[in-house]
Amino acid sequence: MEIYMELFPVQDSFLLRYSPLGYLAEGMISLNPSGGIHIGEIREDIRSFPIIFSAINERKAKYCTGLEYLKQMSIKYPIPSNLNSFVVVPIFFNSIVFGYICSTEFEENAKIDDQLLLTFTLYGKEVGKEIIGRNYDKGIQFLSRRELEVMRRISLGESTKEMSESMAISELTINQYAKTAIKKLGAKNRSHAVGELFRKGIL
């Protein structure tokens, strides 16, 4: 988050983790020039925040201001009432979003345009790659990319039907990927396989 604040014309940042199970966002830490604070009291269904929901679904940074800002915010966020701008940056790896950063205070004369939003998006992608990508690559040594993607989606609670639709492959193929991954991991079932992937540090 310190790097984020050095790179971009922002004066604050709020880091939240995200789970597609229940579309739940949980606060982790807030940072501003005065220091950091824990924001674990924040637990939100992001479907209540169209801008955040859109940023996560599209895996793109989003920005709003003025009246649109007021429609997006919740009283649970510890944000002064005199602020009226908001940017959200999803943190993701491939198609999986597992967190996001929000900012509400910007440097004087900061111009939040399409080019800067693209840079925000690329930052979220690189952070996601740094956090998950290394372990993901280790998993490729014994699981195919598709097998690993299916197991990651299983760990996030996606059904076979949901995976089939989002990955554009048949449910039969999804089940085959899961079956071969379970076999390679020496596991008894999907839950056991996911547990093994967590134990090995791949998920």
Side-chain angles (χ1 to χ4, degrees):
M1 288 176 66
E2 288 177 348
I3 294 171
Y4 166 82
M5 291 183 67
E6 287 174 10
L7 288 175
F8 297 104
V10 298
Q11 296 291 313
D12 66 357
S13 58
F14 300 83
L15 176 64
L16 298 97
R17 70 177 136 233
Y18 170 71
S19 169
L21 297 174
Y23 301 94
L24 181 66
E26 296 179 300
M28 296 179 72
I29 189 169
S30 169
L31 192 63
N32 61 41
S34 302
I37 59 168
H38 182 256
I39 53 172
E41 72 279 2
I42 297 176
R43 286 176 62 89
E44 299 282 5
D45 180 333
I46 58 110
R47 290 173 293 186
S48 302
F49 298 85
I51 188 171
I52 298 174
F53 191 49
S54 173
I56 286 175
N57 279 339
E58 298 176 31
R59 296 185 299 283
K60 290 181 181 177
K62 301 282 182 174
Y63 175 71
C64 66
T65 185
L67 182 60
E68 190 60 28
Y69 163 85
L70 296 174
K71 294 176 183 176
Q72 305 288 347
M73 296 311 298
S74 163
I75 58 171
K76 293 182 183 179
Y77 281 79
I79 295 170
S81 59
N82 62 329
L83 300 176
N84 63 1
S85 298
F86 183 76
V87 68
V88 55
V89 181
I91 300 172
F92 62 97
F93 180 70
N94 289 343
S95 62
I96 300 168
V97 178
F98 56 91
Y100 59 92
I101 300 172
C102 299
S103 290
T104 62
E105 239 183 304
F106 303 89
E107 292 177 1
E108 192 174 350
N109 301 319
K111 184 181 179 185
I112 313 297
D113 56 15
D114 289 344
Q115 185 59 48
L116 184 57
L117 287 174
L118 176 60
T119 308
F120 275 122
T121 299
L122 292 174
Y123 179 82
K125 181 179 181 178
E126 286 303 312
V127 170
K129 185 177 178 182
E130 182 65 24
I131 292 171
I132 289 184
R134 291 180 180 179
N135 285 334
Y136 188 96
D137 289 338
K138 282 193 291 185
I140 292 172
Q141 294 173 9
F142 64 99
L143 292 184
S144 72
R145 292 189 85 84
R146 281 295 207 185
E147 289 165 352
L148 192 55
E149 183 177 359
V150 165
M151 296 312 296
R152 187 180 302 284
R153 287 170 179 269
I154 289 170
S155 76
L156 293 171
E158 286 191 30
S159 69
T160 301
K161 184 177 181 182
E162 289 171 330
M163 284 186 272
S164 175
E165 290 172 358
S166 62
M167 295 171 69
I169 55 180
S170 73
E171 291 184 40
L172 184 63
T173 304
I174 294 288
N175 287 329
Q176 189 58 45
Y177 282 134
K179 185 177 178 180
T180 56
I182 290 167
K183 185 176 180 180
K184 287 181 181 179
L185 289 163
K188 297 175 182 176
N189 51 42
R190 291 185 177 196
S191 298
H192 186 197
V194 167
E196 283 297 300
L197 289 169
F198 275 109
R199 188 180 65 79
K200 293 175 186 292
I202 295 165
L203 294 183

